[in-house]
Every structure is written in structure tokens, then in C-alpha cells.
Amino acid sequence: MVTDTQLVEEYVETIEDVKSYIRTHIHEPLNREVLAEVAGFSVPHFHRVFTAQTGESAASYIRRMRLERAGRKLRMGAVDITEVARAAGYESHAAFSKAFKQQF
């Protein structure tokens, strides 16, 4: 019989694996279906577990990771903000700037 503690530990490990997957595939399109498959969960169950473990949805987590990466690029001297915006998944400089200001 699996105890609640074992289940929580298993969820923590699984979500850490998903976060690692996100970090290594951050430049690719990521969606809940793909991430749920990585976790071995259904989409609704993945959403519940991921949100409970991280305090944010997978989409919010991915957006934050991409914006943090963009911030690092800008601090390192990247001058083409449109290129940085596109790498972060934004179609325009304006959309990127708005999201960046909201996040930071």
C-alpha cells in the first residue's frame, strides 16, 4: 500500500523531472499535453499536481522561465530586443515588453 508521504515524494520527483524537461526544451513549443506525457499523468491530473507542487500553472512556469532567460540575454548585452522577444515566444517587441514589465 502506498502511503500519502510516498505519493507526495513521487509527485515531487516527477515534477522535478518535468521542470528539467522544460529547462532542456525551453526553446521548443511546450504544452500541457506534452508535459503530462512526460509526467505519465492525464492532463487534468498533471495540471493539479504541477500547480500544487510549484504554486503556478505549467504555462505560467514556462512563461517565467522564458522571461528570465530573456532577462539574462538582455543583461549580457543582447541589443536586438525583437530577437530576444521571439526567442522568448513573443511575436512582437510590444507584447514582450508588456509581459516583461508585468513579470519584473
Side-chain angles (χ1 to χ4, degrees):
M1 181 174 188
V2 177
T3 66
D4 288 343
T5 304
Q6 289 171 322
L7 190 59
V8 168
E9 289 173 3
E10 193 174 307
Y11 284 169
V12 168
E13 186 176 319
T14 299
I15 296 305
E16 286 303 316
D17 291 345
V18 171
K19 288 165 61 176
S20 177
Y21 179 88
I22 290 169
R23 284 190 298 276
T24 58
H25 295 86
I26 195 74
H27 58 283
E28 300 171 11
L30 296 168
N31 59 46
R32 290 187 316 168
E33 290 77 15
V34 169
L35 299 177
E37 187 175 320
V38 169
F41 297 152
S42 68
V43 172
H45 187 63
F46 168 73
H47 178 73
R48 282 189 302 272
V49 172
F50 190 92
T51 302
Q53 292 295 315
T54 65
E56 61 188 332
S57 70
S60 294
Y61 180 83
I62 292 166
R63 183 171 32 264
R64 184 171 56 82
M65 291 293 101
R66 287 179 174 158
L67 288 171
E68 287 177 4
R69 183 178 69 159
R72 286 190 297 275
K73 286 182 179 182
L74 292 172
R75 281 192 302 276
M76 290 176 15
V79 290
D80 188 352
I81 295 176
T82 302
E83 182 181 313
V84 173
R86 286 206 172 101
Y90 293 88
E91 292 295 320
S92 70
H93 172 272
F96 170 74
S97 293
K98 182 178 178 180
F100 196 84
K101 286 176 188 176
Q102 285 177 341
Q103 181 70 38
F104 301 109

